[in-house]
Amino acid sequence: TLGSINHASDKQPQLYFDPATADSTYKASLIATSNDLVAAMNESGVVFSIVQNGASELVQLKTAPKFLFSSSKTVSSFNGSNEFGVYNLETKKADLFSLKEEVSATDAVVYEGNLYLLADNSIYKYADALTGGTKRTVWGSDNANGTLAAITADGNIYALNTDGKLIKYFKGKKEGEVALQITPPAGSRIFTFKDSAFMYLTDKTNGLVYVFDKATGELKTTYDLSPAGTINDISVSPDGSVWAVSADSKVWVLR
């Protein structure tokens, strides 16, 4: 009955990369994906490119592993306060930038080259962060809609609060909200994309990914990643594939 209510999918996560079967000594605690790249990062800040038959070291970004981001041209990491590392996949150049007016970020997202941070119900923007922008501006603040816990972007900024409300902002102003009817556990994150009709809520504590209609908040399906074991991190790529790295550093995918 609960599965029916949650629109539970019968899809199972598939093992994509097992370090035990490859000549690799990598470990991974974070994962980030674009349609072209699966990147994983270990506790020392080393970033790997993951393919089905192996893991190759891309770069050591020398930032504490709190957030990892991937696009078709860059892999970047953010330590949650003041260090932002960027690796350009085309030039093979790595940079470490010191962000001004550091804050302790609850969540972060990179969109169109800019870094957005969530801290204390305020969203901060570092314009052109991927190319060295280190100046902080206040993109918007909202103390009227509960405690904001996670953010994502598709041109608009979306924030998820601890009561399960998804709030949409445009140019720093609230445009609307929908109730997702789920109280997100601590550490949950949200993902969406410019051309996607869906909002993905990832719950690594329980190994679940909820897929919602972005406009209405209607729950479309729930993916169960528990067959992969304890989950370290979850990412969603723009094509809707769900990726996870488990506590044993295996990489899993659910398409």
Side-chain angles (χ1 to χ4, degrees):
T1 302
L2 182 60
S4 176
I5 293 171
N6 288 341
H7 300 278
S9 171
D10 58 3
K11 291 183 179 180
Q12 295 287 305
Q14 303 298 310
L15 182 60
Y16 183 77
F17 170 61
D18 183 353
T21 64
D23 183 16
S24 174
T25 57
Y26 108 114
K27 297 288 184 181
S29 57
L30 295 178
I31 190 167
T33 55
S34 63
N35 286 342
D36 304 311
L37 175 70
V38 180
M41 187 177 188
N42 69 17
E43 295 290 340
S44 300
V46 178
V47 180
F48 298 86
S49 172
I50 307 297
V51 294
Q52 281 190 289
N53 59 352
S56 57
E57 183 176 330
L58 284 177
V59 65
Q60 184 167 17
L61 286 176
K62 299 179 182 179
T63 56
K66 186 167 184 180
F67 300 102
L68 184 66
F69 313 99
S70 174
S71 72
S72 61
K73 295 182 179 180
T74 61
V75 178
S76 54
S77 66
F78 173 51
N79 71 345
S81 56
N82 67 334
E83 292 182 345
F84 187 63
V86 181
Y87 178 67
N88 188 302
L89 294 163
E90 296 176 338
T91 66
K92 313 300 182 186
K93 182 183 178 183
D95 291 291
L96 182 63
F97 303 114
S98 296
L99 304 180
K100 298 176 182 178
E101 299 181 82
E102 67 181 80
V103 294
S104 181
T106 304
D107 199 10
V109 62
V110 171
Y111 183 77
E112 297 289 341
N114 306 311
L115 174 66
Y116 296 88
L117 314 181
L118 173 63
D120 299 323
N121 277 20
S122 291
I123 298 170
Y124 300 99
K125 178 181 178 180
Y126 288 90
D128 302 317
L130 289 180
T131 52
T134 60
K135 182 181 178 181
R136 193 193 80 182
T137 59
V138 179
W139 187 86
S141 294
D142 185 358
N143 290 309
N145 290 282
T147 302
L148 305 184
I151 57 171
T152 191
D154 68 354
N156 302 300
I157 298 287
Y158 294 82
L160 178 70
N161 74 12
T162 54
D163 295 323
K165 289 183 178 179
L166 183 67
I167 304 159
K168 178 180 178 181
Y169 302 94
F170 179 68
K171 293 185 177 179
K173 303 297 182 182
K174 178 181 174 181
E175 276 209 334
E177 68 175 49
V178 292
L180 300 185
Q181 307 300 326
I182 287 177
T183 301
S188 296
R189 300 188 71 196
I190 52 176
F191 294 83
T192 195
F193 307 96
K194 196 170 187 178
D195 298 318
S196 175
F198 303 111
M199 180 68 61
Y200 300 83
L201 191 162
T202 65
D203 170 10
K204 65 182 181 182
T205 301
N206 297 299
L208 297 171
V209 178
Y210 301 94
V211 185
F212 298 92
D213 183 293
K214 189 162 58 179
T216 66
E218 178 187 357
L219 178 62
K220 293 297 186 180
T221 193
T222 302
Y223 297 129
D224 182 5
L225 302 180
S226 62
T230 302
I231 302 298
N232 273 348
D233 196 26
I234 302 172
S235 180
V236 182
S237 55
D239 64 4
S241 299
V242 175
W243 297 82
V245 59
S246 50
D248 54 7
S249 294
K250 294 177 181 177
V251 174
W252 303 79
V253 62
L254 194 153
R255 303 182 195 271

